[in-house]
C-alpha cells in the first residue's frame, strides 16, 4: 500500500488516499497511476508534484512528469471510460486497456491522439509531506452510512467533529464524484422528463437502481476490488454527489447530531451532539453547495424563498432523514445563505428515554403523564432547543387511544400514531415566514376547533401574541390544550404575557401546569426540567406570580425534587373532582406509573387507566 500526497501550485499539501500496490516496479507503477487518475483526471490539473510512500520507499513525481505523461494519458482514458457508459465500442476498448491487451502505442492509434510520451519518472526520497490529514487520538469514532465520524478533543469547550469518507482507497475517493456526474448525464439523456419532476426519494430509488450497470461500465476495475458493503456505500456516495449534497449528508444522516448550523458560505458547520454537546466540524459548505441544498428543500417541500421573503422554515422528510429546516438569505443575511437544521430522530424519544437521560425523574414523569392523561391545560416553556417538543411528544405517545387528538402545527414535529390505531388529526398551517401567503393560520384553526370537538388540542409552539391569545381563548372556551412556548422562568413568562401581550392576568388561571426546561450548555448541552408549577386552587392575591406554586424544583445539586406532597396538590384535587376519583386512588395511580417507568414497562399504562376508570364506574353503580 502506498499513501499518496499532492502538492498544489498554491503550496497546499494534501493527502488524497492510498494506492493498492505492493511491488515497486516504476514502469508498471506509472501505468497504475494512469489507471487510477483516469477515473478523475481533474485532480491532476493543479498538481505541482505527487508523492507516494510507505515504510520502505518514497517516490516523488515531478510537475513535468505529471503534465506530460500522467495528465494527458489519464484524460484520454477517462474519455473512454465515460463514453463506455453509452457506447459498446468504447466499453470494449476500455476492457482491453484494463486487461492489458493494449499497450500505450495501440491506445494512441485507437483514440487518434498524441497523448502519450515516453519519459522516465523522476525518483527521490524527500522528507514526508507536512500535509498529513490522518485522524489520530480520536476520543470516539463511528460509522454513518458511507462516512466515518471522529470526535476529537479540542483546547476549547467545543470538540471537533471530523467527517471522512468510509475508505481512503484512491479508487473509491476518485470514483464517487465521477460516477455522480455520469448518473446526472445518463438521466439527462434518457430520463429527463422523469427526473425533472421527481422528489428526493424517487431520484434515490431511480439512481441506485441504475448504479450497478453504470459503474460496471465506467470503472469495472474498481468494482472488482470492492466488497458488497463497500459497493453499497459507494452507490450512496455517488448518489449524494449527483445531488451535490455529499458534504452535508453526514449531518443529515447522523442520528447523534441533534441540530447543525452554518452561519455563512465557506464557514465551518457546527452542531449540537447528543453525547458531546457543541462540536465544530471540518466541513465548510460553499455557496454552490448551500444553493443546491436550498433547491432540493424548495422542490421537495413546496416552500420558497425570495428577495422579498428571504426566510424559509419547513419540515423536510425523506426515507433517510427527517429534519426541520430554517434558511435565511440576503438581503436579510449580510454574508450569504445561513442554515439551521434541527434533526428528528428516526425513533422518537419515549418518556422512559427522557427519564434515563435524567431530563426529569420517574416521579415527575408519572405526575406529568397523569396530568396529560386527564387532559390538563399544560404549557411547556424553555429556551430554544431545551427539549420542549421532545417532552410533549413523549407524553403524547402514552395517551389513551380513545382520545381524539387534534394538532395544529406550522412545522410538523408531532409523531404519527395512526398506524397504532390512535385517533389523530394533524393540521399543518403556514409558518411566520409564510404569513404573506394565503395559508390557513394557527389562530384561525384554533378558533375553528370550537366546532370540531377535539378531546385534546395539541398546539405546538406559541410564537407570537396572536398565538397566545388564541390559545387562551380556546382554553377559556372549554378546550383542553397542551402547548410549548419560549420562556426561561415563571417571572419572564408572566411579564411577557401580561405586560407585553396584554393578556388579562386572570386568564392565566386557565393553565393547570407550567413546566420549565433548560439547556445545560456547559455540561454536555444536557436538557433538563428545572421546575414544574401548578395553579393554586384559591387565589387571593392580585399578583399573577402568586397564581402558581412549585411542585417540583431542581436543586443546586442537580436533583429534581418534589417540594409539595400530592395530598396537597391542587391539580390532583381538580382531577379528583372532575373525574370523581378519590385523591388516594389518583396518588396510587401515579405511584404505579412511576414504578412502571422505572421498570421500563410503560406498555401497561393504558390498561392501568382502564382499571382505574372501571373501578370508578363500579363504585358509581
Amino acid at each position: 500500500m502506498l499513501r499518496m500526497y499532492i502538492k498544489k501550485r498554491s503550496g497546499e499539501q494534501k493527502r488524497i488516499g492510498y494506492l493498492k500496490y505492493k511491488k515497486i516496479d516504476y514502469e508498471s507503477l506509472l501505468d497504475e497511476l494512469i489507471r487510477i487518475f483516469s477515473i478523475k483526471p481533474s485532480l491532476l490539473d493543479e498538481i505541482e508534484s505527487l508523492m507516494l510512500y510507505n515504510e520502505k520507499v518514497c517516490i516523488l513525481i515531478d510537475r513535468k512528469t505529471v503534465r506530460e505523461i500522467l495528465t494527458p494519458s489519464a484524460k484520454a482514458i477517462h474519455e473512454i471510460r465515460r463514453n463506455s457508459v453509452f457506447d459498446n465500442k468504447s466499453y470494449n476498448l476500455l476492457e482491453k486497456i484494463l486487461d492489458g491487451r493494449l499497450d500505450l502505442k495501440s491506445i494512441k492509434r485507437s483514440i487518434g491522439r498524441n497523448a502519450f510520451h515516453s519519459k522516465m519518472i523522476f525518483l527521490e526520497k524527500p522528507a514526508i509531506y507536512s500535509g498529513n490529514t490522518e485522524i489520530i487520538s480520536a476520543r470516539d469514532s463511528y460509522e454513518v452510512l458511507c462516512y466515518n465520524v471522529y470526535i476529537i478533543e479540542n483546547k476549547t469547550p467545543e470538540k471537533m467533529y471530523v467527517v471522512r469518507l468510509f475508505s481512503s482507497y484512491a479508487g473509491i475517493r476518485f470514483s464517487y464524484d465521477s460516477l455522480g456526474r455520469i448518473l446526472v448525464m445518463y438521466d439527462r439523456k434518457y430520463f429527463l422528463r422523469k427526473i425533472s419532476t421527481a422528489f428526493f426519494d424517487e431520484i434515490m430509488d431511480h439512481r441506485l437502481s441504475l448504479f450497478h450497470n453504470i459503474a460496471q461500465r465506467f470503472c469495472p476495475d474498481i468494482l472488482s476490488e470492492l466488497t458488497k458493503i463497500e459497493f453499497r456505500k459507494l452507490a450512496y456516495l455517488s448518489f449524494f454527489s449527483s445531488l451535490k449534497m455529499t458534504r452535508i449528508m453526514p449531518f443529515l444522516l447522523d442520528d447523534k447530531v441533534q441540530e447543525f448550523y452554518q452561519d455563512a458560505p465557506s464557514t465551518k458547520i457546527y452542531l449540537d451532539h447528543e453525547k458531546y454537546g457543541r462540536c465544530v466540524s471540518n466541513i465548510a459548505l460553499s455557496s454552490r453547495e448551500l444553493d443546491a441544498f436550498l433547491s432540493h428543500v424548495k422542490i421537495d417541500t413546496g416552500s420558497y424563498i425570495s428577495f422579498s421573503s428571504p426566510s424559509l422554515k419547513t419540515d423536510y422528510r425523506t426515507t433517510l432523514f427527517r429534519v426541520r429546516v430554517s434558511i435565511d438569505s440576503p438581503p436579510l443575511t449580510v454574508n450569504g445563505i445561513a442554515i439551521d437544521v434541527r434533526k428528528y430522530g428516526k425513533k422518537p424519544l419515549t418518556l422512559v428515554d427522557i427519564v434515563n437521560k435524567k431530563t426529569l425523574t420517574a416521579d415527575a414523569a408519572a405526575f406529568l403523564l397523569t396530568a396529560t392523561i386527564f387532559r390538563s391545560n399544560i404549557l411547556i416553556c424553555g429556551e430554544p432547543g431545551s427539549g420542549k417538543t421532545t417532552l410533549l411528544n413523549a407524553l403524547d405517545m402514552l395517551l389513551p387511544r380513545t382520545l381524539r387528538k387534534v394538532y395544529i402545527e406550522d412545522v410538523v414535529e408531532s409523531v404519527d400514531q395512526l398506524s397504532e390505531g390512535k385517533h389523530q388529526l394533524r393540521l399543518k398551517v403556514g409558518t411566520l415566514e409564510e404569513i404573506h401567503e394565503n395559508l390557513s393560520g394557527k389562530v384561525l384553526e384554533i378558533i375553528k376547533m370550537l366546532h370540531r370537538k377535539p378531546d385534546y388540542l395539541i398546539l405546538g409552539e406559541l410564537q407570537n401574541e396572536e398565538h397566545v391569545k388564541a390559545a387562551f381563548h380556546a382554553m377559556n372556551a372549554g378546550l383542553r390544550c397542551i402547548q410549548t412556548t419560549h420562556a426561561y422562568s415563571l417571572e419572564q413568562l408572566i411579564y411577557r404575557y401580561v405586560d407585553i401581550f396584554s393578556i388579562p392576568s386572570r386568564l392565566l388561571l386557565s393553565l393547570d401546569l407550567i413546566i420549565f426546561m433548560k439547556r445545560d450548555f456547559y455540561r454536555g448541552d444536557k436538557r433538563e426540567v428545572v421546575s414544574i408549577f401548578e395553579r393554586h386552587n384559591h387565589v387571593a392575591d392580585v399578583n399573577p406570580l402568586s397564581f402558581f406554586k412549585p411542585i417540583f424544583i431542581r436543586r443546586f445539586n442537580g436533583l429534581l425534587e418534589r417540594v409539595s406532597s400530592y395530598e396537597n396538590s391542587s391539580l390532583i384535587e381538580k382531577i379528583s373532582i372532575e373525574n370523581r376519583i378519590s385523591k388516594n386512588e389518583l396518588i396510587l395511580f401515579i405511584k404505579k406509573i412511576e414504578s412502571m417507568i422505572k421498570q421500563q414497562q410503560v406498555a401497561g399504562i393504558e390498561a392501568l387507566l382502564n382499571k382505574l376508570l372501571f373501578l370508578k364506574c363500579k363504585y358509581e353503580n
Side-chain angles (χ1 to χ4, degrees):
M1 182 179 77
L2 291 171
R3 298 182 181 91
M4 292 199 296
Y5 289 81
I6 60 172
K7 184 176 182 180
K8 295 185 178 181
R9 296 174 191 174
S10 62
E12 179 188 355
Q13 299 173 356
K14 182 180 179 182
R15 183 188 177 194
I16 58 173
Y18 68 82
L19 197 64
K20 294 180 179 179
Y21 197 76
K22 295 181 180 179
K23 63 177 183 177
I24 306 300
D25 178 331
Y26 301 129
E27 188 171 342
S28 59
L29 176 59
L30 178 59
D31 291 342
E32 179 67 11
L33 288 172
I34 292 172
R35 180 183 75 86
I36 286 293
F37 278 102
S38 70
I39 297 171
K40 191 177 180 181
S42 58
L43 286 171
L44 296 168
D45 290 341
E46 296 185 1
I47 290 181
E48 183 72 22
S49 60
L50 171 67
M51 189 185 73
L52 304 96
Y53 85 94
N54 58 22
E55 292 74 14
K56 297 180 179 180
V57 67
C58 186
I59 306 168
L60 179 66
I61 302 176
D62 66 1
R63 179 182 178 185
K64 187 174 182 180
T65 305
V66 169
R67 294 184 65 182
E68 294 186 3
I69 299 181
L70 275 182
T71 301
S73 305
K75 286 184 176 180
I77 298 179
H78 177 77
E79 187 172 341
I80 297 173
R81 286 184 183 273
R82 187 180 60 190
N83 291 339
S84 69
V85 176
F86 307 94
D87 176 60
N88 287 332
K89 184 178 179 180
S90 297
Y91 179 65
N92 293 333
L93 179 59
L94 178 63
E95 282 189 318
K96 292 180 180 180
I97 294 172
L98 298 178
D99 290 345
R101 286 179 281 158
L102 282 179
D103 57 21
L104 298 183
K105 292 181 180 179
S106 300
I107 297 172
K108 175 183 173 182
R109 288 195 299 270
S110 299
I111 63 176
R113 292 190 177 191
N114 187 24
F116 298 92
H117 306 274
S118 298
K119 186 171 180 65
M120 295 294 293
I121 300 177
F122 177 75
L123 301 174
E124 283 188 359
K125 289 190 177 181
I128 302 300
Y129 277 21
S130 61
N132 195 328
T133 58
E134 293 183 74
I135 300 296
I136 56 174
S137 65
R139 176 171 177 175
D140 192 7
S141 62
Y142 54 91
E143 292 184 5
V144 178
L145 192 56
C146 49
Y147 303 91
N148 292 333
V149 172
Y150 302 86
I151 306 296
I152 300 176
E153 293 286 358
N154 207 353
K155 293 181 180 179
T156 68
E158 295 178 322
K159 294 177 176 58
M160 287 294 298
Y161 179 97
V162 179
V163 180
R164 292 283 184 261
L165 301 183
F166 71 92
S167 173
S168 295
Y169 171 44
I172 291 174
R173 295 171 72 95
F174 293 2
S175 61
Y176 78 88
D177 190 46
S178 296
L179 285 167
R181 293 174 186 271
I182 291 173
L183 283 169
V184 174
M185 291 171 57
Y186 199 87
D187 278 342
R188 286 176 177 172
K189 185 170 183 177
Y190 298 112
F191 300 100
L192 181 59
R193 181 174 296 181
K194 177 181 179 180
I195 290 299
S196 61
T197 58
F199 296 132
F200 182 96
D201 286 342
E202 295 170 325
I203 298 174
M204 179 175 68
D205 292 341
H206 167 71
R207 288 183 177 168
L208 290 180
S209 68
L210 295 176
F211 179 78
H212 182 271
N213 179 58
I214 290 176
Q216 187 62 44
R217 296 181 71 92
F218 177 75
C219 54
D221 48 329
I222 302 300
L223 261 57
S224 65
E225 300 171 334
L226 304 183
T227 65
K228 289 183 178 180
I229 294 176
E230 289 174 329
F231 173 82
R232 177 176 176 270
K233 291 180 178 180
L234 178 60
Y236 274 103
L237 204 55
S238 301
F239 163 65
F240 299 151
S241 178
S242 73
L243 300 180
K244 296 184 176 63
M245 291 178 63
T246 311
R247 300 205 304 156
I248 197 173
M249 283 307 300
F251 305 97
L252 294 170
L253 295 170
D254 188 353
D255 290 335
K256 296 180 181 180
V257 173
Q258 298 175 323
E259 194 162 357
F260 66 91
Y261 323 84
Q262 183 166 337
D263 298 331
S266 301
T267 61
K268 289 183 178 179
I269 291 177
Y270 57 101
L271 57 99
D272 296 325
H273 194 280
E274 70 170 20
K275 185 176 181 181
Y276 298 106
R278 179 61 52 81
C279 300
V280 179
S281 78
N282 62 321
I283 303 295
L285 301 179
S286 65
S287 294
R288 186 178 180 185
E289 290 171 304
L290 288 169
D291 285 336
F293 178 60
L294 175 58
S295 296
H296 290 296
V297 171
K298 291 192 295 184
I299 292 170
D300 290 346
T301 67
S303 303
Y304 76 94
I305 193 168
S306 64
F307 185 87
S308 59
S309 179
S311 294
L312 175 155
K313 185 172 81 169
T314 186
D315 55 298
Y316 188 14
R317 298 169 185 247
T318 72
T319 54
L320 293 181
F321 57 83
R322 297 171 61 246
V323 296
R324 186 188 76 184
V325 180
S326 298
I327 300 178
D328 297 304
S329 66
L332 178 62
T333 54
V334 176
N335 298 315
I337 292 177
I339 61 172
D340 175 351
V341 182
R342 177 172 294 185
K343 302 283 295 298
Y344 303 137
K346 292 182 180 178
K347 185 178 180 181
L349 291 180
T350 65
L351 197 59
V352 171
D353 294 330
I354 293 174
V355 170
N356 289 339
K357 289 177 177 289
K358 299 183 179 180
T359 299
L360 75 170
T361 61
D363 184 16
F367 175 73
L368 292 180
L369 182 57
T370 301
T372 311
I373 287 172
F374 288 99
R375 303 184 302 140
S376 301
N377 289 325
I378 300 174
L379 182 61
I380 305 175
C381 310
E383 60 186 303
S386 56
K388 302 182 297 295
T389 303
T390 301
L391 176 59
L392 190 155
N393 285 337
L395 294 169
D396 173 37
M397 288 188 291
L398 290 174
L399 289 177
R401 65 185 62 248
T402 54
L403 291 182
R404 181 175 189 261
K405 300 180 293 185
V406 180
Y407 306 70
I408 303 176
E409 305 171 280
D410 55 357
V411 175
V412 180
E413 297 180 294
S414 57
V415 179
D416 187 354
Q417 302 165 54
L418 290 174
S419 60
E420 301 172 20
K422 295 190 176 183
H423 310 312
Q424 186 183 43
L425 171 62
R426 299 196 294 171
L427 305 177
K428 184 179 184 300
V429 298
T431 65
L432 288 178
E433 289 82 358
E434 299 169 330
I435 56 175
H436 60 281
E437 291 189 11
N438 293 321
L439 295 176
S440 180
K442 181 173 285 189
V443 173
L444 176 61
E445 294 303 324
I446 291 174
I447 295 172
K448 286 163 62 176
M449 284 301 113
L450 295 172
H451 299 281
R452 295 192 179 177
K453 198 181 176 182
D455 295 324
Y456 214 179
L457 186 57
I458 299 172
L459 296 179
E461 184 179 337
L462 306 181
Q463 294 177 293
N464 57 23
E465 181 178 345
E466 288 72 24
H467 290 176
V468 173
K469 287 183 175 179
F472 277 102
H473 174 72
M475 286 185 283
N476 280 274
L479 295 180
R480 305 300 184 94
C481 304
I482 182 170
Q483 52 263 310
T484 69
T485 194
H486 292 123
Y488 193 75
S489 66
L490 182 65
E491 291 81 1
Q492 286 185 357
L493 175 71
I494 290 179
Y495 293 153
R496 181 186 179 206
Y497 280 10
V498 174
D499 295 339
I500 299 177
F501 290 172
S502 301
I503 303 291
S505 60
R506 300 294 294 183
L507 291 185
L508 297 175
L509 294 173
S510 57
L511 290 170
D512 297 312
L513 275 184
I514 304 177
I515 305 164
F516 287 95
M517 304 186 69
K518 76 165 187 176
R519 299 171 60 191
D520 198 341
F521 187 79
Y522 291 110
R523 289 184 174 87
D525 202 19
K526 293 181 180 179
R527 277 68 170 164
E528 296 177 335
V529 171
V530 292
S531 58
I532 301 173
F533 290 86
E534 64 175 1
R535 175 174 58 84
H536 273 295
N537 271 346
H538 307 288
V539 178
D541 198 337
V542 295
N543 182 0
L545 289 175
S546 66
F547 292 178
F548 301 92
K549 63 178 181 178
I551 189 166
F552 285 91
I553 292 289
R554 191 171 292 274
R555 301 296 190 184
F556 184 77
N557 59 10
L559 299 178
L560 184 66
E561 296 180 357
R562 179 152 47 94
V563 295
S564 177
S565 67
Y566 287 144
E567 287 77 9
N568 296 324
S569 168
S570 56
L571 180 60
I572 297 296
E573 182 178 346
K574 179 188 176 185
I575 294 173
S576 172
I577 294 171
E578 286 183 348
N579 296 275
R580 287 183 283 183
I581 302 172
S582 73
K583 291 175 67 173
N584 289 336
E585 287 176 329
L586 277 174
I587 294 171
L588 181 60
F589 179 72
I590 294 173
K591 293 296 183 183
K592 288 182 178 179
I593 291 179
E594 179 185 355
S595 176
M596 295 171 77
I597 291 173
K598 288 179 177 179
Q599 297 173 20
Q600 302 187 14
Q601 296 177 347
V602 294
I605 288 178
E606 188 166 355
L608 183 66
L609 174 64
N610 292 336
K611 183 178 179 181
L612 176 67
L613 298 178
F614 174 77
L615 289 174
K616 182 191 102 169
C617 295
K618 183 178 179 181
Y619 292 147
E620 288 178 351
N621 294 331

